[in-house]
Amino acid sequence: MRTLATVHHHRELPDTPYNLWMRDELADVLDLPHDGTRVEIVGGEIIVSPGPDMAHNFIVQDISDAVAAARARDATFRWRCIATQDVNLSDIHDGYIPDLCILDSEVAAQTRRAQLKKALPEHLQLILEVTSPSTVSDDRLPGKKRFQPTKWNGYARVGIPYYLLVDRDPRVARTTLFTEPDTAAGEYRESVSWEFGEPVKLPEPFGLEIPTDEWEPWQRT
């Protein structure tokens, strides 16, 4: 099967984008640099985005640090983090690279021993995405003018229990935790939000409070 994909121009691909992504061949087929550029399949479409800025990365680090601190305080705290991990959404033939994944410690140990290249949805309890100007429309709920599903739909479709979206858009500047995925509809049924500056309170089974005093929207250009 040969597929046409649009990046900056039409290019004939030797296989489907998803199959190429699964074999780690998509970036090379598209002649993309290996410099932190992310190549994902969202709603069946190829999405290429540059590496994020430092403010974006520090937000990810803040959340990872909160998980690590909880583990240091309490030996029974069972959650671990992994950043920029390929996630294979095989049920919908998408492939994402979220900013951060939170998973059970035993699952983390099993996947580490197995040396898995790509995580599966059943391995993960919470997914974090921090928006950037180039990716914001792919991370949020789909807008009225968007015909393709977003990551919000994809994570719900495969049953990720918790989707944490830090939206750095200056018009929003808000963190939202989506819960209760409806796999049939590809939608999250519940959500709770916090403005930047308010602590993010992740409910059980995490029981974490994450300060956001230093979180800032991206700069308008």
Side-chain angles (χ1 to χ4, degrees), residues 74-89:
D74 181 1
T76 66
F77 187 80
R78 62 189 181 97
W79 304 105
R80 296 201 63 173
C81 292
I82 187 169
T84 58
Q85 170 62 51
D86 287 8
V87 178
N88 172 20
L89 288 74

Side-chain angles (χ1 to χ4, degrees), residues 145-193:
K145 296 183 179 180
R146 183 174 177 115
F147 299 102
Q148 295 295 328
T150 67
K151 288 185 176 181
W152 180 84
N153 299 113
Y155 289 135
R157 180 76 69 181
V158 300
I160 298 293
Y162 299 92
Y163 176 36
L164 188 64
L165 178 65
V166 179
D167 197 336
R168 293 184 62 220
D169 186 330
R171 297 168 295 183
V172 179
R174 181 183 301 118
T175 302
T176 302
L177 179 67
F178 296 99
T179 60
E180 301 296 331
D182 182 332
T183 56
E187 299 175 352
Y188 284 95
R189 296 302 189 188
E190 301 291 338
S191 66
V192 59
S193 295

Side-chain angles (χ1 to χ4, degrees), residues 105-116:
S105 296
E106 290 188 5
V107 175
Q110 292 167 5
T111 56
R112 185 173 186 171
R113 287 193 298 268
Q115 299 187 28
L116 293 185

Side-chain angles (χ1 to χ4, degrees), residues 24-75:
D24 296 320
E25 297 174 1
L26 186 56
D28 290 332
V29 168
L30 298 176
D31 296 326
L32 295 172
H34 295 270
D35 60 355
T37 299
R38 295 192 194 184
V39 184
E40 302 173 280
I41 309 297
V42 181
E45 295 186 340
I46 299 172
I47 304 297
V48 179
S49 55
D53 63 22
M54 291 184 70
H56 176 125
N57 288 335
F58 275 121
I59 289 174
V60 178
Q61 187 66 54
D62 287 342
I63 297 171
S64 180
D65 286 349
V67 173
R71 292 181 64 228
R73 290 191 304 268
D74 181 1

